[in-house]
Amino acid sequence: MKVFVDPDICMGCGVCETIAPEIFQLGDAIHAIVIMDPVPESYRDLVQQAVDECPEEAISFED
Ligand code: SF4
């Protein structure tokens, strides 16, 4: 699957990086970036958790 973070919506809270640091990276940036592309199917539950817990609803994905 392909995972996206909308940089216009993300507020850089770091929740996604805490949930799945293999996929999301914040570092010193002001918004998270996706560092894995494509994301293997085995990560689906973690991606869904990140989608559900992102306070800004900035994360999306497509198969
Ligand atoms: S959880 Fe959402 S708002 Fe927070 S850093 Fe990740 S994408 Fe941005």
Side-chain angles (χ1 to χ4, degrees):
M1 77 187 82
K2 188 166 178 62
V3 179
F4 307 93
V5 170
D6 187 331
D8 294 329
I9 301 175
C10 171
M11 65 174 184
C13 70
V15 167
C16 56
E17 186 181 46
T18 300
I19 294 170
E22 312 94 318
I23 302 172
F24 303 97
Q25 189 174 76
L26 191 57
D28 295 331
I30 57 173
H31 57 77
I33 58 170
V34 177
I35 56 171
M36 186 185 285
D37 182 31
V39 176
E41 185 63 28
S42 57
Y43 284 95
R44 178 173 291 271
D45 287 350
L46 272 182
V47 170
Q48 187 62 58
Q49 186 181 347
V51 169
D52 293 343
E53 296 192 22
C54 172
E56 300 298 310
E57 299 184 2
I59 303 170
S60 61
F61 64 90
E62 63 184 27
D63 291 321

